[in-house]
Amino acid sequence: MSVDLTGFLGVVVVAYLVPGPDFLVVVRSAADSPARGRAAALGAQTGLCVHMLAAAAGLSLIAARSPVVYGTVKLLGAAYLVYLGVQAVLAARRAAREHGTGAGAPEDGPARGRSGFTEGFLTNVLNPKAALFFLSVLPQFVHGTGSPVRPILLLGVLDVLIGVVLWFALVTVAARLRTFLARPRVRHRWDLTTGWLFIVIGLTLATTTP
């Protein structure tokens, strides 16, 4: 079997650069601290590995064809995004009440890193569209006869590695905004904006069909 790497690379890069739940989690985490941003990026890509392996095992096909399974995963993912958004909005309002304008950027630390990884992982692994990507998009770049499992795994691994490179580059850019975001008023508006974006994305995911 042959693989269309050129077409695949173009689609994957565009998919990563179009803002979505993973993009927002990584940028927000990186604005908190570079370490947390990198942890969120690795968490998101670990979640992608779960989808890749599930697709290879045929589990994602079952989920995609079962309205109950797909709907359950979709609602869990939507609920988690709304949860992240509500937490951000409440934190911004609490900081505004306590300090008048907002809080500065959080400090680095192992706990923040673990939190970033968990947010990135859950955001990705609870997104059914990530599973459908491996089922509906990747096979389009595999041609010929025979089992498509190995070529799809190859493309999946490339997808994950490309994502790590792009996410880490995004973390570097977003981390440079820390000084700007450390200003109380700016931080307050940033937390409110990203919080409401999480809520909107979560509600949109819950009300859309695949």
Side-chain angles (χ1 to χ4, degrees):
M1 303 190 74
S2 62
V3 175
D4 179 10
L5 282 178
T6 302
F8 167 76
L9 292 175
V11 169
V12 167
V13 171
V14 171
Y16 274 111
L17 295 180
V18 174
D22 290 350
F23 186 97
L24 188 57
V25 167
V26 172
V27 170
R28 178 178 170 80
S29 297
D32 284 347
S33 78
R36 191 167 191 264
R38 289 189 290 269
L42 292 176
Q45 296 312 96
T46 301
L48 200 61
C49 288
V50 173
H51 289 300
M52 176 181 66
L53 295 175
L59 298 178
S60 292
L61 184 60
I62 297 175
R65 291 184 175 179
S66 171
V68 175
V69 174
Y70 180 88
T72 300
V73 174
K74 183 179 71 170
L75 290 177
L76 286 174
Y80 184 68
L81 290 176
V82 171
Y83 166 78
L84 291 179
V86 170
Q87 289 293 98
V89 171
L90 291 179
R93 292 181 175 177
R94 183 166 55 250
R97 288 195 301 268
E98 294 174 354
H99 306 291
T101 51
E107 297 179 356
D108 292 355
R112 297 294 294 176
R114 288 193 295 272
S115 175
F117 182 91
T118 301
E119 288 185 7
F121 177 78
L122 291 178
T123 298
N124 187 286
V125 83
L126 292 176
N127 184 357
K129 292 184 179 180
L132 293 179
F133 179 83
F134 283 97
L135 289 171
S136 61
V137 177
L138 292 194
Q140 304 300 318
F141 301 100
V142 178
H143 309 291
T145 58
S147 174
V149 173
R150 292 183 64 181
I152 288 179
L153 284 176
L154 170 63
L155 293 179
V157 170
L158 285 176
D159 187 342
V160 172
L161 294 177
I162 290 170
V164 170
V165 173
L166 291 178
W167 286 148
F168 274 38
L170 180 63
V171 167
T172 301
V173 174
R176 295 181 181 275
L177 299 174
R178 291 191 71 203
T179 301
F180 175 69
L181 290 174
R183 302 174 184 175
R185 291 185 183 276
V186 175
R187 182 70 194 190
H188 177 67
R189 292 170 183 170
W190 166 261
D191 285 341
L192 284 178
T193 300
T194 55
W196 282 111
L197 281 175
F198 273 124
I199 293 172
V200 170
I201 292 174
L203 293 177
T204 300
L205 177 62
T207 56
T208 55
T209 56

